Amino acid sequence: MDKIRIRGGKRLSGKIRISGAKNAALPLMAASLLTDEPLVLVNLPQLADISTMANLLTHLGVDISMAGETGKDGHTGRSLSLHAREITDTTAPYDLVRRMRASVVVLGPLLARSGHARVSLPGGCAIGTRPVDLHIKGLTQLGAEIDLTGGYIDAKAPNGLVGAHFVFPTVSVGATENVLMAACLAKGESVLSNVAREPEITDLAHCLVAMGAKIGGIGSDTLIVQGVERLHGAEHTVIADRIEAGTYAMAAAMTGGDIELIGVQLDLMESVVDKLIEAGVKIEKTDQGLRVSCDTRLRGVDVMTEPFPGFPTDLQAQMTALMSTADGASMITESIFENRFMHIPELARMGANVTVHGASSLVRGVGALTGAPVMATDLRASASLVLAGLIADGETWVSRVYHIDRGYERIEEKLAACGADIERVDE
Ligand code: UD1
């Protein structure tokens, strides 16, 4: 199994091209199920989760082929053509879904296109119980009959879905994506209120519109969808990954470095930029993206994770690493997921002083971290350990690197190109 070895203490400088957003790419790929024409997605990141989704879609009958070269139009990612000429299987089996919770996003499109979908319940994960009740409630509101049997969500709508008004009781990214995609092929109008407003949802909505969907209110908390009989093929470019960008912005800040993040827009990450500026980081817009630099010791700042446009939960662990050597204390509150503090015992092994009280962690900045062998527990937790390793004295070995590979494209190469002493070691 691979490990990442980091020798800390190098100042980072240079440019990092930000990849296409994983969390935008996954539902976009699932949207290919909605039409019998090809959907071409440009700038897909090369990640384990993308391969998992491709395997699942292939199982359902989607033909996936390369469409154009990597690097076209300045993007690093691949272009894929996804062609669901015919849905040959409406079951997303446990074996494929358990590898990635986000697989559940095939439920809405499969049901809307085929009138039937059987999708394995994803089960628990390292960051909490993560139920799918909102996905089920929303689709039921559109007329689906749903049973939970044998560990599967069994959804039927033999006469098609029917538009309806649905108020999401709490904000959910995945449930919004599932219900939005289903509503595009439902009969009549759907009004979806209290939807998630994450940029990845806006990206999905723009792609659906390019496929012929009629969606109003894009970017707001209410989406109004006029159902259409069929959708057609389209070509769509995936937005930049704001979580990857935020992680590298923090790497620049922690190492007193200077990095230009190519391809990312400020409006994707204003809450993160505001917090970094409050902590003492300099951030400027450039022609190609954002330049992040820092020449002072960071100040402790308080952060609370919230749905977009608030501070993203997917950067909470990295923020804790950033704050671990800041001047003063910071209170980091996780309001989206329970049990998303698995990185803290590992950071503590590197000398961080963090105490967890319920949904908050109190980080008291220390003078320095020390390298140690640490274990990645989930995707974002592992990124926080890499960040800590970049500034720790001595060597840090991060094991279970497959978590990082789910969401960061060639993390060690991108950091090494900016001067980090980091390498992947195959054990
Ligand atoms: C997505 C992201 C993930 C991110 C999260 C929050 C993808 C592939 N993943 O996950 O990286 O951390 O948004 O920004 O895009 N909930 C329910 N019932 C449901 C659905 C969700 O109670 O049916 C709860 C969850 O347990 C959680 C909260 O709602 O407490 C938000 O979860 P949700 O927005 O659905 O996250 P995901 O879509 O799973």
Side-chain angles (χ1 to χ4, degrees):
M1 234 193 283
D2 288 358
K3 288 187 175 181
I4 285 182
R5 190 192 65 195
I6 309 159
R7 294 195 183 98
K10 294 275 197 274
R11 178 179 177 272
L12 301 190
S13 74
K15 293 176 193 268
I16 296 181
R17 180 169 285 284
I18 300 304
S19 300
K22 168 182 85 75
N23 287 354
L26 295 172
L28 286 167
M29 291 172 77
S32 68
L33 293 165
L34 291 164
T35 172
D36 60 3
E37 294 181 15
L39 174 64
V40 174
L41 296 175
V42 178
N43 198 33
L44 285 169
Q46 303 202 29
L47 297 170
D49 275 11
I50 300 297
S51 307
T52 304
M53 180 57 90
N55 288 341
L56 173 57
L57 293 174
T58 304
H59 169 87
L60 301 173
V62 183
D63 271 337
I64 302 183
S65 56
M66 292 294 285
E69 308 140 45
T70 299
K72 188 187 153 210
D73 302 328
H75 298 300
T76 53
R78 286 183 301 180
S79 299
L80 291 184
S81 165
L82 300 100
H83 192 179
R85 199 177 284 109
E86 201 188 332
I87 308 280
T88 52
D89 195 325
T90 52
T91 297
Y94 176 61
D95 213 35
L96 290 172
V97 175
R98 74 181 166 80
R99 277 179 224 165
M100 183 179 71
R101 280 190 50 87
S103 308
V104 77
V105 83
V106 300
L107 176 64
L110 265 184
L111 176 65
R113 169 99 178 266
S114 306
H116 176 239
R118 205 167 152 264
V119 176
S120 171
L121 281 161
C125 74
I127 59 173
T129 49
R130 297 181 82 173
V132 288
D133 56 313
L134 301 174
H135 302 240
I136 293 170
K137 275 188 192 139
L139 294 171
T140 305
Q141 195 71 16
L142 297 183
E145 288 163 26
I146 300 187
D147 290 318
L148 299 183
T149 49
Y152 278 79
I153 307 166
D154 195 44
K156 289 192 194 77
N159 301 316
L161 296 168
V162 182
H165 190 177
F166 182 64
V167 183
F168 286 85
T170 51
V171 177
S172 160
V173 172
T176 299
E177 291 163 348
N178 247 331
V179 180
L180 170 63
M181 285 192 274
C184 289
L185 289 182
K187 286 187 198 86
E189 181 179 272
S190 295
V191 180
L192 309 178
S193 304
N194 197 28
V195 297
R197 288 185 283 158
E198 269 62 7
E200 292 75 22
I201 289 180
T202 300
D203 200 36
L204 172 65
H206 285 144
C207 176
L208 292 168
V209 168
M211 293 167 72
K214 296 199 162 52
I215 305 173
I218 295 175
S220 78
D221 65 359
T222 302
L223 294 171
I224 300 167
V225 186
Q226 309 295 338
V228 295
E229 222 154 84
R230 62 184 299 275
L231 295 177
H232 52 72
E235 177 172 321
H236 179 82
T237 300
V238 182
I239 53 165
D241 195 315
R242 63 198 169 99
I243 306 302
E244 190 198 22
T247 304
Y248 292 132
M250 291 183 201
M254 288 169 83
T255 61
D258 187 344
I259 293 183
E260 187 175 1
L261 304 169
I262 309 288
V264 72
Q265 301 105 266
L266 182 62
D267 60 350
L268 294 182
M269 43 192 299
E270 260 165 323
S271 60
V272 177
V273 165
D274 288 350
K275 278 295 161 192
L276 292 180
I277 290 173
E278 196 184 326
V281 182
K282 285 192 205 140
I283 302 192
E284 306 153 43
K285 266 179 152 178
T286 65
D287 291 345
Q288 292 185 289
L290 293 177
R291 180 176 167 200
V292 183
S293 61
C294 187
D295 52 16
T296 56
R297 184 173 179 199
L298 295 166
R299 290 183 289 278
V301 294
D302 293 343
V303 172
M304 163 123 88
T305 66
E306 281 169 313
F308 191 84
F311 191 93
T313 172
D314 286 350
L315 283 171
Q316 182 256 112
Q318 300 88 318
M319 192 70 189
T320 306
L322 180 86
M323 291 288 105
S324 66
T325 57
D327 186 18
S330 50
M331 177 76 87
I332 299 187
T333 303
E334 172 57 56
S335 81
I336 310 287
F337 292 111
E338 80 267 33
N339 194 26
R340 206 174 193 180
F341 289 129
M342 308 279 276
H343 50 287
I344 288 175
E346 298 301 301
L347 289 173
R349 300 187 59 254
M350 300 176 71
N353 180 348
V354 188
T355 322
V356 178
H357 300 274
S360 296
S361 65
L362 179 64
V363 188
R364 293 187 177 90
V366 294
L369 298 179
T370 48
V374 287
M375 200 182 285
T377 49
D378 70 60
L379 168 55
R380 307 304 171 183
S382 45
S384 78
L385 301 176
V386 170
L387 290 181
L390 292 175
I391 53 161
D393 295 332
E395 267 188 12
T396 297
W397 287 85
V398 182
S399 55
R400 300 200 178 165
V401 168
Y402 53 86
H403 287 296
I404 304 190
D405 294 335
R406 290 189 46 208
Y408 290 88
E409 196 175 66
R410 299 176 293 106
I411 189 170
E412 73 282 5
E413 286 176 35
K414 289 190 179 188
L415 288 170
C418 291
D421 187 345
I422 179 170
E423 65 177 342
R424 182 180 291 254
V425 180
D426 181 5
E427 290 230 316

